[in-house]
Amino acid sequence: MKKFINDIDSVMRESLGGLVAAQPGLLRVEFEPTFVARAERNGNKVALISGGGSGHEPLHAGFVGRGMLDAACPGQVFTSPTPDQMLAAAAAVESGRGVLFIVKNYAGDSMNFQIASEMLGLENATVLVNDDVAVENSKHTTGRRGVAGTLMVEKMTGAAAEAGAALLECKAVGDRVNAATASMGVAFTSCTVPAAGRATFDIDADEMEVGVGIHGEPGRRREKVKPAGLIVDDLLGAILADLKPESGREVLLHVNGFGGTPLMELYLLYHCAAERLRAQGLKPVRSLVGNYTTSLEMAGASLTVTLLDEEMKTLWDAPVHTAALRW
Amino acid sequence: MNTAMIIDALAAVQGAILANESQIESLDRAIGDGDHFVNVKRGCDVLAKLTPELKDMPPGPALHKIGMKLLGTIGGASGPLISSFFMAMGQTLQGVDEPDRRQFAAAFASGVEAIKQRGKADVGEKTMLDVLIPVSRMLIRLADADTPLGPLCTQLKDEARRNMLATKDMIASKGRAYFLGERALGHIDPGCKSCEVAIAAVCDAVLQQKTQEVT
């Protein structure tokens, strides 16, 4: 394992310390329990709190700031945070208008946030993000994962909260964005969890994992690597089969890198994907390309499509000032 | 059962989990995301530091405290599940200073029920419950029949092992392995493995104590 590390046990603390120090005046970090919050407590708005395992940076702490999250609770690498973190974060950022938790749909995240929600003693609601179309959804299962579409939910819900929307209005926005969003990813490599010290799975040089999540775990199936355009066809095929957009619909197209793929390739993917969307009669009118929901150093990428309407466009365009997203 | 035995059992579990590191890790790498061993180990480590506080508590409050400590320590899916197990057990044993075998079996069953409720899962879904539910049922049966401690522990260990191995042929409908669909076939569930390791360690600790009492 080759990583920039001083000591396995201090990775999280030093990394969060760096994130906060690099944004003077924007963020503050607390430990025991750990959470990252806006430096300035913003009064009189619904408090948006997210969180999840570390290793997906900049998600979630990189999205704390004006127009997005009020606080984020980072867990250990790929391990959901604990309820005491969420309770401490809520106490630090709530301003009397309730707390909205934004949670990616994994057993660990949803259980820990559910316990926090039960213990909180403040008005609160939860948006469960499940944009990953690689997995069939059914009533009797864990359900679909939350992946890169989480950013769309956090951005638009954050804009609604910043504009003064009430708790249930914010939740409705989050649920609506989630329902209009679908993602799917492929990986060329796995990644190494620092505490484990070796790659989660082995893969040959000419193979890829299709339908991966964001934890360096195997996906739905393994295939031979093929030209980018054909990979994009597969991903968009599954995404559009899920969203079933009518022709002429405006969409947001997000190409997300998993941490180990150069921007050059991510832009190439955007080129292929935007072209194919237009060929299908859709209009990619908003875009985002870069490493936003990562899986440590995993090589690979995901595509996310959000079907837009006027309100969602306004929420997406609203100013945002966080470590990782700014306009 | 008393709190001293609980503390011994925790130490035995910690040792056994560490001894099985590579197997638990490789299972979680195959069908999970590689953090299960580290999380369980973190839980064991924090409990080892907690023993001075537990020493003078009755079993019920001690188990509840263990649950609360794990809730704030482990995270992931195992955290809420394992901690709800201990908290429910502690709840059931409130006010009982020296639980007998039947009371312990009932407490264990309430702990397993709490895991079912929190995880919204049941047998056959390729989760830790595939070991815990059959072991809990057998424990109640054996306790009701006043089975001597030796055969009781031996049978529980066998039951845990058999059911842990049986998860190899299951497709998961809950937990991280669910996302793999049929690719989870042929792999034992890592959560079942760590539960089996823990149950075997507790049974061995009890058997060893029994031998010492005899000699």
Side-chain angles (χ1 to χ4, degrees), chain A residues 120-132:
Chain A
L120 186 58
L122 290 169
E123 199 191 1
N124 70 85
T126 299
V127 173
L128 212 53
V129 184
N130 63 350
D131 56 309
D132 178 33

Side-chain angles (χ1 to χ4, degrees), chain A residues 79-80 112 118 136 142 209, chain B residues 35 76 118 175 178-179 183:
Chain A
T79 300
S80 58
N112 283 285
E118 290 165 15
E136 288 298 312
T142 298
E209 283 281 336
Chain B
D35 67 344
R118 179 56 69 190
Y178 159 65
F179 304 122
R183 293 181 80 184

Side-chain angles (χ1 to χ4, degrees), chain A residues 21-54:
Chain A
Q23 322 291 326
L26 179 69
L27 301 175
R28 67 188 177 99
V29 62
E30 297 290 336
F31 294 106
E32 285 170 24
T34 303
F35 66 90
V36 173
R38 298 189 195 187
E40 305 276 316
R41 188 174 174 140
N42 188 343
N44 201 28
K45 71 182 281 293
V46 171
L48 250 60
I49 298 176
S50 188
S54 293

Side-chain angles (χ1 to χ4, degrees), chain A residues 8-13 16 31 34 51-57 73-82 85 109 193-195 215 296, chain B residues 33 35 38-39 42 72-76:
Chain A
I8 293 282
D9 295 330
S10 65
V11 170
M12 292 268 315
R13 187 176 280 262
L16 291 170
F31 294 106
T34 303
S54 293
H56 307 303
E57 291 71 21
C73 306
Q76 300 289 324
V77 173
F78 296 167
T79 300
S80 58
T82 54
Q85 293 172 253
D109 291 75
V193 175
H215 298 89
L296 296 170
Chain B
D33 58 3
D35 67 344
V38 182
N39 293 344
R42 194 169 49 247
T73 304
I74 300 185

Side-chain angles (χ1 to χ4, degrees), chain B residues 93-104:
Chain B
L93 292 176
Q94 274 317 334
V96 187
D97 281 348
E98 288 266 350
D100 62 21
R101 228 169 289 174
R102 286 177 196 201
Q103 288 168 314
F104 178 80

Side-chain angles (χ1 to χ4, degrees), chain A residues 4-324:
Chain A
F4 294 108
I5 287 179
N6 293 312
D7 174 344
I8 293 282
D9 295 330
S10 65
V11 170
M12 292 268 315
R13 187 176 280 262
E14 293 178 10
S15 178
L16 291 170
L19 168 75
V20 171
Q23 322 291 326
L26 179 69
L27 301 175
R28 67 188 177 99
V29 62
E30 297 290 336
F31 294 106
E32 285 170 24
T34 303
F35 66 90
V36 173
R38 298 189 195 187
E40 305 276 316
R41 188 174 174 140
N42 188 343
N44 201 28
K45 71 182 281 293
V46 171
L48 250 60
I49 298 176
S50 188
S54 293
H56 307 303
E57 291 71 21
L59 188 88
H60 295 270
F63 303 140
V64 172
R66 190 162 42 82
M68 228 162 156
L69 301 175
D70 292 280
C73 306
Q76 300 289 324
V77 173
F78 296 167
T79 300
S80 58
T82 54
D84 52 326
Q85 293 172 253
M86 299 148 197
L87 296 172
V93 300
E94 68 89 21
S95 64
R97 298 198 56 201
V99 174
L100 184 66
F101 293 116
I102 297 178
V103 182
K104 304 193 295 304
N105 187 33
Y106 295 93
D109 291 75
S110 60
M111 280 190 270
N112 283 285
F113 274 98
Q114 174 69 40
I115 292 171
S117 163
E118 290 165 15
M119 294 167 83
L120 186 58
L122 290 169
E123 199 191 1
N124 70 85
T126 299
V127 173
L128 212 53
V129 184
N130 63 350
D131 56 309
D132 178 33
V133 297
V135 179
E136 288 298 312
N137 201 359
S138 117
K139 250 199 344 252
H140 306 290
T141 63
T142 298
R144 291 166 21 162
R145 291 175 288 214
V147 287
T150 309
L151 185 154
M152 282 70 220
V153 175
E154 290 181 358
K155 168 69 185 82
M156 295 184 200
T157 313
E162 210 72 47
L167 178 63
L168 292 181
E169 291 170 328
C170 291
K171 174 176 162 55
V173 168
D175 288 341
R176 205 157 62 82
V177 175
N178 177 55
T181 301
S183 305
M184 187 159 161
V186 291
F188 295 144
T189 66
S190 178
C191 57
T192 299
V193 175
R198 54 155 295 178
T200 302
F201 65 78
D202 298 315
I203 185 161
D204 286 344
D206 63 343
E207 292 183 317
M208 62 180 182
E209 283 281 336
V210 181
V212 288
I214 47 174
H215 298 89
E217 75 275 57
R220 292 293 283 183
R221 60 181 192 271
R222 189 166 284 200
E223 289 181 21
K224 292 284 179 216
V225 173
K226 51 193 181 186
L230 297 178
I231 296 174
V232 165
D233 283 342
D234 286 352
L235 299 183
L236 280 183
I239 288 169
L240 297 179
D242 180 77
L243 292 175
K244 303 186 183 65
E246 66 276 19
S247 189
R249 188 77 191 249
E250 293 186 323
V251 301
L252 184 161
L253 171 60
H254 172 35
V255 176
N256 170 60
F258 288 138
T261 288
L263 270 173
M264 181 190 189
E265 293 169 42
L266 300 183
Y267 285 124
L268 185 150
L269 286 173
Y270 185 87
H271 167 78
C272 296
E275 201 171 65
R276 277 163 177 72
L277 287 175
R278 280 191 289 271
Q280 304 243 7
L282 298 166
K283 298 177 184 155
V285 296
R286 296 289 184 277
S287 58
L288 185 70
V289 179
N291 295 288
Y292 291 98
T293 303
T294 60
S295 183
L296 296 170
E297 77 280 21
M298 184 161 86
S302 60
L303 299 182
T304 299
V305 173
T306 301
L307 305 183
L308 296 170
D309 56 25
E310 287 309 309
E311 187 199 9
M312 281 198 242
K313 275 199 296 193
T314 306
L315 292 170
W316 180 257
D317 293 340
V320 59
H321 190 91
T322 65

